[in-house]
Amino acid sequence: MINFFKKSKLDLPDYWLEYENLFKTKQPENIQDITFVVLDTETTGFSYQEDRMLCIGALKLKNNDINIGDSFEVFIHQDHYNQETAEIHGILKEGKTTRLEELEALKLFLAYLKNSVIVAHHAGFDVTFINMALERHGLPKLKNKILDTSTLYKKTLIRSNLLVKKEHYSLDELAEKFSISVKDRHTALGDAYITAIAFLKILVKLKEKKITTLKQLLRIY
C-alpha cells in the first residue's frame, strides 16, 4: 500500500537530504561536461500500481565515454511475481542472485545517481516505477532532469513526405538502426548499455543540427 502521508522536510532521512543538496549546484550547459546516468529497470509487469521493480541497471556517461567500470546493478526482493514477464527478463523468484529490500536498493541507487541527468529509453516507464517505489517509503520523486532516447531519436530523422515518423521507437529498432549488439537484451544493465550507445549515436546526429547544450536537448520535449 502506498504511503500517501508525505514526510515534511524535517522528517526526511539524511540520505535523501544529501541527495537533494546536490541540486544546489547548477548543471553545466555543454553536453560534453555533463554526467549522464543511463538506466533501465526490469519489472514484474506494466502496472504502476500493482507491479514492482526486480532490478535497476545503470551506467555513467560523460564526454562521449561510457564508464563500464562504474556501472550499477541491484536486484530487489519482491513478493509479487509474474511468470510471464520472467520469461522475458529471466529473473527467477528463487534465483541465486543476492537481492536487497526495496528501500536499501533505492538508497544505493540515489547515492549512485546523484544529480546526474537521467537517460532512458521510454524513460517515463522506468522513472515512474522508481518514483512509485520512493513514494511507498514516504520519499519525494526524483529531482533529476530526464531525457528519453525514443523522443531524441525522432529529432534525428529527416523531414520527408516519404518518411512517416512513428509515435514510439523500440529499443530493438534503435539497436538495428545503429548496428548495436543485442546480446544482453532484456537485462537491466544490458539494456542500459544498448541505450547508452544509442544515446551517443543520437548525440552525434543532433550535433549536426547544432544541438550541443542540455537546454537544447530538453527543448526537444
Side-chain angles (χ1 to χ4, degrees), residues 84-102:
E84 291 180 5
T85 54
E87 293 176 5
I88 299 173
H89 52 60
I91 302 174
L92 303 177
K93 187 173 185 178
E94 303 300 333
K96 296 180 180 179
T97 307
T98 301
R99 303 172 200 220
L100 301 181
E101 294 302 318
E102 189 173 73

Side-chain angles (χ1 to χ4, degrees), residues 5-47:
F5 297 96
K6 299 291 186 182
K7 294 182 180 179
S8 70
K9 195 85 172 176
L10 294 176
D11 294 331
L12 290 167
D14 289 343
Y15 63 83
W16 180 267
L17 296 176
E18 289 172 9
Y19 162 75
E20 277 197 342
N21 284 336
L22 295 171
F23 292 88
K24 294 178 180 178
T25 302
K26 188 178 179 181
Q27 282 278 7
E29 266 305 314
N30 193 295
I31 291 171
Q32 303 302 314
D33 299 324
I34 295 168
T35 298
F36 298 95
V37 166
V38 188
L39 66 86
D40 183 76
T41 62
E42 296 299 333
T43 67
T44 61
F46 303 105
S47 169

Side-chain angles (χ1 to χ4, degrees), residues 157-189:
L157 300 175
I158 60 173
R159 292 183 179 179
S160 170
N161 293 330
L162 301 176
L163 176 66
V164 179
K165 290 185 182 180
K166 296 168 61 175
E167 186 174 354
H168 300 291
Y169 288 87
S170 70
L171 188 56
D172 288 315
E173 287 176 305
L174 265 63
E176 182 178 357
K177 169 66 179 178
F178 295 125
S179 300
I180 305 169
S181 170
V182 291
K183 181 178 65 175
D184 293 322
R185 184 79 170 93
H186 297 302
T187 65
L189 193 54

Side-chain angles (χ1 to χ4, degrees), residues 14-221:
D14 289 343
Y15 63 83
W16 180 267
L17 296 176
E18 289 172 9
Y19 162 75
E20 277 197 342
N21 284 336
L22 295 171
F23 292 88
K24 294 178 180 178
T25 302
K26 188 178 179 181
Q27 282 278 7
E29 266 305 314
N30 193 295
I31 291 171
Q32 303 302 314
D33 299 324
I34 295 168
T35 298
F36 298 95
V37 166
V38 188
L39 66 86
D40 183 76
T41 62
E42 296 299 333
T43 67
T44 61
F46 303 105
S47 169
Y48 296 132
Q49 284 74 35
E50 296 178 6
D51 287 298
R52 299 290 184 266
M53 289 188 297
L54 293 169
C55 183
I56 305 174
L59 296 158
K60 286 186 178 174
L61 187 159
K62 186 176 182 180
N63 193 22
N64 296 325
D65 181 53
I66 302 171
N67 191 346
I68 299 295
D70 191 19
S71 63
F72 177 88
E73 186 176 45
V74 64
F75 290 85
I76 304 167
H77 169 75
Q78 299 290 2
D79 292 323
H80 181 80
Y81 190 72
N82 186 330
Q83 182 63 42
E84 291 180 5
T85 54
E87 293 176 5
I88 299 173
H89 52 60
I91 302 174
L92 303 177
K93 187 173 185 178
E94 303 300 333
K96 296 180 180 179
T97 307
T98 301
R99 303 172 200 220
L100 301 181
E101 294 302 318
E102 189 173 73
L103 181 56
E104 290 306 310
L106 290 170
K107 288 180 185 179
L108 291 175
F109 177 66
L110 291 171
Y112 179 83
L113 178 62
K114 297 184 169 64
N115 64 339
S116 304
V117 176
I118 291 173
V119 178
H121 195 73
H122 297 150
F125 178 83
D126 301 289
V127 171
T128 300
F129 261 96
I130 294 169
N131 282 335
M132 292 293 285
L134 290 168
E135 187 176 14
R136 280 193 290 276
H137 299 283
L139 297 170
K141 294 180 179 180
L142 293 174
K143 295 177 64 65
N144 309 70
K145 292 182 172 65
I146 302 164
L147 296 170
D148 185 332
T149 45
S150 178
T151 302
L152 293 175
Y153 172 68
K154 287 192 287 186
K155 187 66 176 180
T156 70
L157 300 175
I158 60 173
R159 292 183 179 179
S160 170
N161 293 330
L162 301 176
L163 176 66
V164 179
K165 290 185 182 180
K166 296 168 61 175
E167 186 174 354
H168 300 291
Y169 288 87
S170 70
L171 188 56
D172 288 315
E173 287 176 305
L174 265 63
E176 182 178 357
K177 169 66 179 178
F178 295 125
S179 300
I180 305 169
S181 170
V182 291
K183 181 178 65 175
D184 293 322
R185 184 79 170 93
H186 297 302
T187 65
L189 193 54
D191 283 358
Y193 183 65
I194 294 169
T195 303
I197 297 174
F199 180 58
L200 288 176
K201 302 276 190 181
I202 289 167
L203 288 181
V204 170
K205 291 186 173 293
L206 291 178
K207 189 175 182 180
E208 295 170 0
K209 296 175 178 285
K210 311 300 182 186
I211 296 175
T212 59
T213 69
L214 178 60
K215 185 178 292 185
Q216 289 173 317
L217 286 179
L218 293 169
R219 278 179 185 164
I220 291 175
Y221 291 81

